């Protein structure tokens, strides 16, 4: 009885604190993710006031948080939209992967880490935060801008890439080696293709099993199916997160719309739990030694991500100001980076400093990203862009041979 009482006190106090931090983040115009991570660091191993009774609760809640983040991501897109985006934005996605994954891998190798840690760090630096970016675009009133579809296309390509990357890295972390990782990747590719085909041809039939008119039944049905498929996917070494993502893609129409509305509060709750749990299992005393490397890695990959968005926007004919808005909006890393680092921490077989480096790296990019996204709206930046464009137009055209 005493343990249950302590659990209720710890969970209640921490969730109440998260509510206050979320409200504070909205007031100052930042994402709540860094504040949640800091709360986890404060109450975790080596923190100011370690919480022991509630750690198991937050561990289970963190797994559910990842699953809900991914199913909600899948619900945002139909299978046809995903296929269309894959075709149109594939070149931008390739540039994105090369410019942002390779620096992470190279950085790990420079630190003397093994190839498994390099594979994990490549994923951490590769993927931008869809949640943070969506909030920034909404706050800045840019959802209707010409460059916004370019930003979303890059994010969709990254989401699809994660559906293939996560099973690969999960298998490698489990110690199955490259062969096991290749098999897991092949299974993931086959599963994704199968689900896309089923969703395109039979998505409406699947959705008819769920009643959009009964909120309670719809919530229980979608949540239950998501957890079931995620669990089966994990048993098959495909990754629970990928299984949840595919469930979201398979649902369509009014069912997907109403399920999104019903699941959003649950996602917000358990996503906050996930970020807190990552902080809880990271010893804050490990962060100062990796702070400078994290800052250097952040500077490099914020520049490469800005270049990614700039080139992607230029490719479709967006003007110079829109190119900079696209590039700077893509800077923040967040949920997926922490998910990938969390997988490595759970495996326990990777470089022990990786969790601290990932936490510091995400904190830096999530705090600075929204501020950098505001640069194109400043008068001096607009003036610099105009002067740069005028200088380029003033250059003489090359004389043909």
């Amino acid at each position: 009885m005493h343990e249950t009482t302590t659990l209720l006190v710890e969970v209640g106090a921490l969730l109440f604190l998260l509510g206050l931090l979320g409200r504070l983040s909205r007031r100052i115009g930042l994402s709540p993710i860094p504040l949640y991570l800091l709360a986890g660091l404060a109450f975790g191993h080596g923190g100011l006031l370690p919480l022991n009774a509630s750690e198991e609760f937050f561990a289970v809640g963190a797994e559910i948080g990842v699953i809900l983040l991914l199913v909600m991501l899948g619900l945002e897109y139909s299978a046809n939209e995903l296929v269309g985006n894959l075709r149109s934005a594939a070149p931008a996605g390739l540039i994105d992967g090369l410019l942002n994954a390779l620096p992470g891998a190279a950085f790990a190798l420079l630190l003397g880490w093994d190839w498994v840690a390099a594979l994990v760090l490549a994923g951490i630096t590769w993927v931008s935060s869809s949640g943070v970016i969506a909030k920034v675009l909404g706050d800045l009133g840019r959802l209707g801008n010409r460059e916004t579809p370019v930003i979303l296309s890059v994010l969709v390509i990254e989401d699809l890439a994660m559906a293939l990357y996560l099973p690969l890295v999960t298998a490698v972390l489990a110690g199955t080696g490259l062969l096991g990782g290749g098999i897991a990747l092949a299974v993931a590719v086959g599963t994704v293709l199968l689900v896309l085909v089923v969703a395109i041809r039979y998505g409406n039939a699947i959705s008819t099993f769920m009643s959009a008119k009964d909120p309670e039944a719809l919530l229980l049905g979608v949540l239950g199916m998501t957890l079931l498929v995620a669990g089966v996917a994990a048993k098959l070494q495909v990754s629970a997160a990928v299984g949840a993502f595919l469930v979201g893609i398979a649902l369509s129409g009014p069912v997907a719309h109403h399920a999104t509305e019903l699941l959003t509060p649950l996602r917000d709750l358990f996503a906050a739990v996930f970020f807190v749990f990552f902080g809880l299992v990271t010893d804050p005393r490990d962060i100062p030694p990796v702070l400078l490397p994290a800052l250097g890695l952040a500077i490099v990959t914020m520049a490469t991500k800005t270049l990614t968005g700039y080139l992607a926007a230029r490719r479709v004919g967006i003007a110079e100001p829109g190119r900079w808005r696209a590039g700077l909006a893509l800077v923040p890393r967040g949920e997926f980076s922490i998910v990938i680092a969390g997988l490595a921490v759970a495996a326990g077989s990777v470089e022990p400093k990786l969790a601290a480096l990932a936490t510091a790296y995400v904190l830096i990019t999530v705090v600075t990203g929204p501020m950098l996204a505001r640069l194109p709206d400043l008068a001096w930046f607009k003036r610099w862009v105009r002067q740069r464009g005028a200088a380029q137009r003033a250059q003489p055209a090359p004389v043909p041979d």
Side-chain angles (χ1 to χ4, degrees), residues 254-278:
V255 167
H257 174 72
H258 288 289
T260 300
E261 294 180 343
L262 293 171
L263 288 173
T264 295
L266 283 177
R267 179 204 59 189
D268 293 342
L269 168 63
F270 285 103
V273 169
F274 168 75
F275 294 122
V276 168
F277 178 71
F278 189 81

Side-chain angles (χ1 to χ4, degrees), residues 7-371:
L7 173 66
L8 291 174
V9 170
E10 289 186 0
V11 171
L14 194 49
L15 290 180
F16 181 73
L17 175 62
L18 295 183
L20 296 178
L21 292 176
R23 185 176 180 183
L24 174 63
S25 70
R26 281 190 293 274
R27 282 184 176 273
I28 61 180
L30 290 178
S31 165
I33 292 176
L35 298 182
Y36 295 159
L37 288 171
L38 290 173
L41 290 171
F43 297 105
H45 303 292
L48 299 174
L49 184 63
L51 303 180
N52 299 317
S54 57
E55 185 170 332
E56 186 175 349
F57 170 86
F58 281 103
V60 175
E63 291 190 30
I64 296 176
V66 175
I67 290 169
L68 289 176
L69 279 169
L70 271 292
V71 71
M72 292 289 289
L73 197 60
L75 286 170
E76 291 181 14
Y77 311 105
S78 69
N80 288 317
E81 287 173 337
L82 280 176
V83 172
N85 277 316
L86 183 60
R87 289 173 178 169
S88 62
L94 179 61
I95 294 172
D96 182 30
L98 292 174
L99 288 179
N100 298 286
L102 291 182
F107 196 82
L109 296 176
L110 286 174
L111 292 175
W113 297 356
D114 61 15
W115 68 270
V116 177
L119 178 64
V120 172
L121 193 56
I124 291 172
T125 59
W126 178 5
V127 187
S128 297
S129 172
S130 301
V132 175
I133 292 170
K135 185 178 187 305
V136 169
L137 293 177
D139 291 345
L140 297 179
R142 296 182 187 171
L143 293 176
N145 284 19
R146 282 196 63 207
E147 74 275 1
T148 298
V150 176
I151 298 171
L152 297 179
S153 294
V154 171
L155 295 177
V156 169
I157 292 292
E158 289 181 349
D159 297 338
L160 281 175
M162 285 299 101
L164 307 179
Y165 171 85
L166 288 176
L168 173 64
V169 77
T170 301
V172 170
L173 289 170
T176 58
L178 283 177
L179 178 60
I183 294 173
L185 179 59
V187 172
V189 171
T191 304
V192 170
L193 292 177
L194 177 62
V195 170
L196 285 176
V197 170
V198 171
I200 291 172
R201 294 189 177 183
Y202 309 107
N204 291 332
I206 295 174
S207 297
T208 55
F209 286 102
M210 306 284 180
S211 174
K213 298 179 180 179
D214 187 341
E216 181 181 352
L218 179 62
L219 174 62
L220 293 173
V222 173
L223 181 60
M225 183 170 66
T226 302
L227 295 176
L228 174 63
V229 172
V232 171
K235 286 287 186 182
L236 296 175
Q237 299 297 316
V238 174
S239 167
V242 174
F245 180 71
L246 296 176
V247 169
I249 292 175
L251 298 175
S252 61
V255 167
H257 174 72
H258 288 289
T260 300
E261 294 180 343
L262 293 171
L263 288 173
T264 295
L266 283 177
R267 179 204 59 189
D268 293 342
L269 168 63
F270 285 103
V273 169
F274 168 75
F275 294 122
V276 168
F277 178 71
F278 189 81
L280 288 174
V281 297
T282 302
D283 193 330
R285 292 170 295 189
D286 295 335
I287 291 182
V290 299
L291 193 56
L292 282 179
L295 180 61
L297 181 61
I299 291 172
V300 171
T301 54
M302 284 192 291
T304 56
K305 187 64 82 168
T306 301
L307 179 60
T308 297
Y310 184 95
L311 294 176
R314 187 178 70 175
R315 181 176 172 270
V316 296
I318 303 295
E320 185 84 2
R323 297 174 193 175
W324 286 106
R325 287 195 295 267
L328 292 169
L330 288 169
V331 163
R333 272 65 159 190
E335 56 271 18
F336 264 127
S337 298
I338 299 298
V339 167
I340 295 166
L343 291 174
V345 171
S349 57
V350 184
E351 171 62 41
K353 292 182 179 179
L354 181 64
L357 179 69
T359 301
Y361 174 78
V362 169
L363 283 171
I364 292 169
T365 61
V366 168
V367 171
T368 59
M371 292 188 289

